[in-house]
Amino acid sequence: MRIGGVEITALARLAPMAGITNAPFRLVARECGSGLVTSEEMDAAALLTNHPHADAIAAHYPEERPLAMQLLGKDADLLARAAEKVEGLGADIVDLNMGCPMPKITGKGKGAALMRDVMGTALILRALRKAVRVPLTVKIRGGWDDEHLNAVEVARMAEAEGVDAITVHPRTRSQRFTGKAPWTIIGEVVEAVSIPVTGNGDVRSMAEARRMVAETGCQSVMIGRGALGSPWIFDETFDALAPAAQRERKAQVIARHCELIRTHFREKYALIQMKKHLAWYTEGLGHATRCRAEIFQTRSADEVWDVFQRYWTAAPADAA
Ligand SMILES: Cc1cc2nc3c(=O)[nH]c(=O)nc-3n(C[C@H](O)[C@H](O)[C@H](O)COP(=O)(O)O)c2cc1C
């Protein structure tokens, strides 16, 4: 798939997830085969004030590229200036978040609230289109709620405003992340526009990713929660490996991820990130619940690593 001038060679890619898809996790996902990675949402206003948190979110490794940076906001001028900034920082694609369902975001007119104001969002996209030369994309939901399913209308508007590609997470804002994602809406958007459409929602394996493509006609697939604790989901060769080789590959990826976390973040935040990701990596290990409880008691990166290693080594060779 091509998004503007950016070639994306793999079918599946990592979805943006706030507090999770930071530089170390994105790089690991890229190395496992994710065709593109996207920063977590970055508030345009915060980014422009050089807020330390926003700067940390914008940090990335050159090896992650192609990298999309996602903006959150509702003010066309602020968003356009933030887009110029992230283009300058190395974004290969600028993505507008039109899907965040959190009340603290939608209450300020941002995220999924943009789906309710199609004309206003057209003006935002026009300003963004003028502001950057890199491709512009949007990530939308099925609509605000079941009474307002307007993904097709929003997608047509976005295409008319010069957007290069669209990601559809077909749940509505009111569904948040519950219930089953209605993939049919992805297919309706594919039918309605000629720009590439990426489908997203409930994909837990490459086989499911291919099923989504077959059922909806989307050109690529974004995987979020299915990649937590298993970034090797993007590795097309992984499933064919023998159990021992799979375990070896997982061990390498986990060690690489933790090393990146420890070198990228300051100690306190590195520990938070290691706890979070190592807890996900316990999935499938024997005594995972006990291991997770011990992980959350630890007070240093060395300690959390030792706890994980103890359970990993004790697990039978065909576990995890
Ligand atoms: C913890 C969490 C944080 C998320 N943060 C973002 C975000 O920053 N930007 C965004 O567009 N979507 C965000 N999402 C939505 C995901 O990108 C994705 O659309 C959603 O999880 C559905 O895909 P999945 O079923 O593959 O997880 C987030 C989802 C989760 C679970």
Side-chain angles (χ1 to χ4, degrees):
M1 177 173 89
R2 286 187 82 81
I3 299 183
V6 179
E7 179 84 41
I8 294 154
T9 48
L11 176 69
R13 59 190 168 105
L14 180 66
M17 284 176 285
I20 299 167
T21 51
N22 45 42
F25 190 49
R26 293 193 307 260
L27 183 53
V28 163
R30 276 289 289 154
E31 289 174 350
C32 285
S34 171
L36 175 73
V37 286
T38 308
S39 76
E40 54 192 295
E41 57 196 23
M42 296 187 277
D43 187 85
L47 196 65
L48 290 168
T49 56
N50 297 323
H51 191 284
H53 180 62
D55 284 349
I57 292 180
H60 59 278
Y61 302 104
E63 300 89 336
E64 286 175 54
R65 297 175 68 179
L67 168 68
M69 290 204 197
Q70 189 186 64
L71 298 176
L72 186 68
K74 66 157 187 179
D75 180 285
D77 180 53
L78 281 182
L79 279 164
R81 285 194 285 135
E84 277 168 18
K85 179 166 176 175
V86 295
E87 184 179 37
L89 288 172
D92 298 294
I93 293 172
V94 173
D95 185 61
L96 178 65
N97 179 316
M98 295 184 62
C100 183
M102 306 310 279
K104 69 175 184 191
I105 303 291
T106 56
K108 292 181 189 149
K110 304 174 189 178
L114 297 181
M115 301 281 303
R116 302 176 93 177
D117 180 10
V118 181
M119 295 304 288
T121 305
L123 297 179
I124 290 174
L125 292 175
R126 207 167 295 170
L128 284 172
R129 186 60 292 167
K130 272 200 203 123
V132 291
R133 276 171 303 164
V134 292
L136 175 64
T137 59
V138 290
K139 183 163 177 280
I140 67 173
R141 281 200 172 237
W144 179 255
D145 56 26
D146 284 347
E147 279 70 54
H148 302 89
L149 291 173
N150 65 346
V152 164
E153 179 194 8
V154 169
R156 285 203 178 112
M157 173 279 288
E159 180 175 37
E161 293 299 337
V163 162
D164 296 284
I166 299 176
T167 300
V168 185
H169 174 212
R171 286 189 179 84
T172 61
R173 183 272 331 173
S174 57
Q175 274 182 293
R176 297 215 189 172
F177 298 106
T178 60
K180 205 166 173 293
W183 288 1
T184 45
I185 294 180
I186 301 170
E188 288 166 17
V189 173
V190 170
E191 284 289 306
V193 296
S194 352
I195 51 178
V197 174
T198 296
N200 167 237
D202 299 343
V203 172
R204 303 281 162 157
S205 66
M206 285 306 293
E208 278 179 21
R210 281 186 281 274
R211 185 164 66 81
M212 178 183 266
V213 171
E215 286 182 17
T216 69
C218 65
Q219 279 92 336
S220 85
V221 175
M222 209 180 232
I223 302 177
R225 290 163 299 171
L228 301 179
S230 49
W232 39 81
I233 194 171
F234 299 108
D235 182 350
E236 293 267 16
T237 65
F238 185 82
D239 286 346
L241 295 175
Q246 285 193 349
R247 191 170 146 84
E248 178 60 27
R249 175 91 183 103
K250 287 181 179 181
Q252 283 164 357
V253 171
I254 295 168
R256 165 84 170 146
H257 189 184
C258 287
E259 187 54 31
L260 287 170
I261 290 173
R262 293 180 75 161
T263 50
H264 186 78
F265 294 115
R266 274 188 277 172
E267 204 177 338
K268 206 169 153 196
Y269 193 65
L271 178 59
I272 294 171
Q273 282 293 315
M274 280 182 74
K275 284 182 180 181
K276 194 169 3 189
H277 285 280
L278 285 174
W280 280 317
Y281 285 127
T282 63
E283 192 62 46
L285 278 187
H287 309 294
T289 311
R290 208 166 71 208
C291 179
R292 281 197 283 268
E294 278 190 49
I295 280 176
F296 286 113
Q297 305 267 316
T298 57
R299 287 160 183 253
S300 72
D302 283 342
E303 200 188 338
V304 69
W305 181 246
D306 288 347
V307 167
F308 181 80
Q309 280 306 308
R310 190 153 37 80
Y311 281 86
W312 180 269
T313 314
D318 59 351

